[in-house]
């Protein structure tokens, strides 16, 4: 299960078909990042670069020149080097970039300053992702300034700079069949990891031990890294939306919220489940849990072609506001409370985001100022929550410190939607049954 060489070629072609005539696009790879003296953070390729090349090494630049007779797709990459490879691992080198990765031509990255100005010279448009990578911004400006310094000899610097994101990110928003298969697998592995955490959960164990169970399950299934730092928050830690210290002891009677998803073949899953540390929801926990679940189910029902991006979110707001009134946590008229945003004391984020190679994936949410329509091939999360701050003195004490989120990954299909993360239970009775087994 991979993205084929021909799919990478199709992606590049589609991008080049959208580029203006007489133009060039420059797409840099990610660089390694120091963690502490002589040690690096695990390398993660830049998503745009990976999307267009499948090339997983650091320190490369992809150059696309639509219509160029001597090759439209050029890659600058690290040269082969026996000593460096002995210490740090295999490199494809320019020859491998052509033979294995289907580039038209490739050059050592060390030669880029000598070659790229000549490729840019005479082009009217230059496309690149401005302002995301200081080093690359400076390189591009240096190449352009080198051309500008030669205008008296007839050199022609580019006149138009366009953010590549406008062209590329719209394409990335729509997932191909192969991408959807990989994302379903990422969802499946992540579901299994959440099930494993539920099985291993006991009062007296620690949040980081559940994090470990999740990471181990990811790796068992071929996903070495999480798509983002796993969140394991028990008790009131669940009310901190991005809590990832994961250091506290699991207390009998508390809930634990786990937000964790693996990265599989470059694609993210993003799942949240909330369950009782001792395997049994209390009355208050169950009441709020069922409310969040109803909001989530109502939102998923709204995921279908033709509906707009905000409809699932608006559904969660209606269900949560009505439910909080019924439970006595909000007081007043439902319509007015929604208008005033009263639910935001308990539900302070939106219902979801695009999902893909990046966990908060690329793609516009509005078009011409209006929420965009959902279309087949889009993948999004649906993740409402209720978080009752431990310091919220406006509600009876029994509710305070309860934090609940339920998050699934949902692909828009021709007729509705498909939940990619259905492999982990979310109905309270089913969670209790799994934990008791
Ligand atoms: N895990 C990050 C998010 O749910 O958006
Ligand atoms: Mn999410
Ligand atoms: Mn999440």
């Amino acid at each position: 299960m991979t993205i084929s060489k021909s799919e990478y070629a199709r992606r590049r072609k589609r991008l080049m078909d959208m580029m203006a005539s007489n133009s060039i696009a420059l797409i840099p790879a990610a660089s390694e990042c120091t963690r502490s003296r002589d040690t690096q953070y695990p390398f993660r390729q830049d998503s745009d670069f990976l999307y267009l090349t499948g090339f997983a090494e650091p320190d490369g630049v992809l150059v696309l020149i639509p219509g160029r007779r001597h090759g439209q797709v050029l890659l600058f990459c690290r040269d082969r080097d026996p000593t460096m490879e002995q210490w740090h691992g295999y490199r494809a080198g320019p020859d491998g970039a052509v033979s294995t990765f289907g580039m038209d031509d490739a050059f050592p990255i060390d030669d880029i300053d000598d070659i790229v100005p000549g490729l840019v010279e005479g082009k009217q448009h230059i496309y690149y992702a401005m302002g995301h990578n200081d080093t690359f911004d400076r390189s591009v400006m240096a190449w352009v300034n080198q051309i500008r310094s030669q205008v008296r000899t007839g050199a022609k610097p580019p006149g138009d700079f366009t953010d590549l994101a406008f062209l590329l990110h719209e394409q990335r928003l729509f997932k191909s069949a192969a991408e959807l298969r990989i994302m379903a697998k990422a969802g499946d592995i992540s579901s299994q990891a959440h099930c494993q955490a539920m099985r291993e959960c006991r009062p007296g164990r620690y949040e980081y031990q559940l994090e470990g169970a999740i990471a181990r399950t990811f790796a068992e299934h071929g996903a070495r890294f999480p798509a983002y730092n796993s969140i394991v928050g028990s008790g009131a830690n669940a009310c901190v939306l991005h809590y990832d210290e994961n250091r506290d002891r699991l207390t009998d009677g508390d809930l634990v919220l786990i937000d964790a998803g693996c990265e599989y073949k470059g694609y993210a899953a993003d799942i949240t489940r909330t369950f009782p540390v001792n395997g049994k929801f209390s009355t208050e926990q169950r009441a709020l849990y069922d409310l969040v679940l109803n909001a989530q189910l109502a939102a998923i029902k709204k995921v279908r072609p033709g509906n707009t991006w905000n409809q699932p979110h608006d559904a969660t707001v209606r269900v949560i506001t009505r439910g909080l009134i019924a439970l006595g946590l909000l007081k007043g008229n439902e319509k007015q409370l929604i208008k005033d945003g009263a639910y935001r004391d308990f539900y302070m984020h939106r219902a979801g985001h695009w999902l893909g190679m990046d966990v908060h994936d690329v793609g516009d949410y509005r078009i011409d100022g209006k929420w965009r329509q959902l279309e087949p091939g889009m993948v999004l999360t649906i993740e409402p929550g209720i978080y009752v701050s431990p310091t919220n003195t406006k509600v009876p004490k029994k509710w305070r410190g309860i934090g609940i989120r339920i998050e699934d990954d949902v692909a828009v299909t021709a007729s509705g939607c498909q939940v990619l993360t259905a492999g982990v239970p979310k109905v309270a009775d089913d969670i209790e049954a799994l934990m008791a087994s």
Side-chain angles (χ1 to χ4, degrees):
M1 189 185 295
T2 47
I3 303 295
S4 66
K5 207 165 145 180
S6 58
E7 180 159 339
Y8 286 114
R10 275 199 301 281
R11 294 171 176 181
R12 294 190 293 265
K13 178 168 186 317
R14 198 174 303 160
L15 175 59
M16 288 193 285
D17 285 347
M18 286 190 294
M19 290 167 60
S21 60
N22 198 24
S23 66
I24 184 168
L26 305 169
I27 302 109
S31 301
E32 282 185 307
C33 187
T34 301
R35 182 174 185 276
S36 83
R37 286 174 67 91
D38 293 343
T39 72
Q40 314 290 328
Y41 284 104
F43 177 71
R44 167 59 159 75
Q45 187 56 283
D46 176 82
S47 296
D48 285 343
F49 182 90
L50 190 62
Y51 182 80
L52 292 169
T53 62
F55 193 80
E57 294 181 26
D59 301 328
V61 176
L62 174 70
V63 180
L64 299 177
I65 313 173
R68 181 171 177 267
R69 220 173 307 140
H70 306 294
Q72 311 184 85
V73 180
L74 313 178
L75 187 72
F76 291 85
C77 63
R78 302 179 308 179
D79 217 349
R80 300 290 311 262
D81 179 330
T83 309
M84 290 301 282
E85 288 180 51
Q86 156 101 72
W87 282 83
H88 302 293
Y90 176 75
R91 299 173 170 193
D95 289 346
V98 172
S99 60
T100 309
F101 292 89
M103 303 293 133
D104 292 337
D105 207 350
F107 309 94
I109 188 77
D110 291 339
D111 295 347
I112 194 165
D113 292 332
D114 298 329
I115 297 175
V116 163
L119 298 172
V120 172
E121 197 277 323
K123 301 288 178 298
Q124 175 62 23
H125 285 85
I126 182 163
Y127 293 91
Y128 85 102
M130 281 158 247
H132 291 285
N133 176 336
D134 285 346
T135 314
F136 194 67
D137 281 345
R138 277 196 298 277
S139 293
V140 173
M141 286 311 134
W143 298 327
V144 169
N145 282 331
Q146 189 179 325
I147 302 167
R148 285 175 180 157
S149 73
Q150 290 160 3
V151 284
R152 278 168 300 279
T153 67
K156 190 176 166 303
D160 297 307
F161 289 70
T162 307
D163 193 341
L164 183 74
F166 288 120
L167 301 187
L168 186 55
H169 291 176
E170 189 66 13
Q171 191 186 145
R172 276 181 52 192
L173 176 57
F174 293 88
K175 276 68 182 176
S176 69
E179 288 180 293
L180 289 169
R181 277 194 293 276
I182 292 173
M183 291 188 73
K185 175 89 175 171
D188 204 46
I189 294 170
S190 305
S191 297
Q192 295 192 48
H194 278 263
C195 290
Q196 189 58 29
M198 288 178 189
R199 282 188 213 104
E200 293 189 17
C201 184
R202 303 271 180 284
R205 303 199 73 212
Y206 284 81
E207 291 168 348
Y208 50 76
Q209 291 175 315
L210 298 188
E211 182 182 20
I214 297 247
R216 188 182 72 246
T217 312
F218 288 171
E220 292 288 352
H221 294 90
R224 207 179 139 207
F225 295 110
Y228 53 92
N229 293 333
S230 300
I231 295 167
V232 183
S234 62
N237 293 339
C239 296
V240 179
L241 298 180
H242 289 163
Y243 172 84
D244 61 8
E245 287 87 352
N246 301 353
R247 67 178 157 222
D248 283 352
R249 201 155 177 266
L250 301 167
T251 302
D252 199 347
D254 279 350
L255 295 177
V256 56
L257 179 157
I258 299 186
D259 184 342
C262 72
E263 182 171 284
Y264 184 70
K265 310 229 160 151
Y267 290 81
D270 184 7
I271 302 182
T272 307
R273 289 292 184 268
T274 310
F275 53 93
V277 167
N278 64 14
K280 201 92 186 108
F281 287 91
S282 73
T283 309
E284 288 75 25
Q285 290 166 351
R286 176 77 188 239
L288 288 180
Y289 186 89
D290 286 345
L291 177 50
V292 175
L293 182 59
N294 286 338
Q296 204 233 14
L297 294 171
I300 291 173
K301 271 201 191 137
K302 297 286 183 190
V303 180
R304 61 180 134 91
N307 277 0
T308 53
W309 168 259
N310 61 313
Q311 281 178 266
H313 175 75
D314 291 348
T316 63
V317 166
R318 279 193 301 276
V319 174
I320 285 176
T321 302
R322 187 172 303 168
L324 290 174
I325 295 170
L327 294 173
L329 283 96
L330 281 179
K331 290 188 179 54
N333 169 274
E334 182 185 320
K335 273 214 174 95
Q336 191 60 40
L337 288 168
I338 289 176
K339 209 167 148 214
D340 297 343
Y343 58 89
R344 287 201 193 101
D345 281 349
F346 304 95
Y347 175 33
M348 58 293 285
H349 56 78
R350 290 193 54 91
H353 49 81
W354 301 131
L355 184 72
M357 300 184 83
D358 296 307
V359 63
H360 290 176
D361 206 33
V362 295
D364 289 333
Y365 293 93
R366 285 178 188 265
I367 291 182
D368 296 332
K370 292 205 195 83
W371 294 116
R372 80 182 296 161
Q373 290 200 347
L374 300 174
E375 296 177 57
M378 295 172 163
V379 182
L380 58 147
T381 67
I382 297 288
E383 50 175 309
I386 293 178
Y387 316 89
V388 188
S389 163
T391 60
N392 185 343
T393 52
K394 288 189 270 180
V395 302
K397 218 169 167 184
K398 63 180 182 180
W399 301 109
R400 292 181 209 160
I402 298 179
I404 295 163
R405 178 163 66 254
I406 305 172
E407 174 173 32
D408 282 304
D409 304 343
V410 184
V412 185
T413 62
S415 58
C417 70
Q418 183 195 352
V419 177
L420 304 177
T421 46
V424 49
K426 61 181 171 182
V427 172
D429 286 342
D430 297 342
I431 290 176
E432 290 183 349
L434 175 70
M435 293 183 74
S437 70

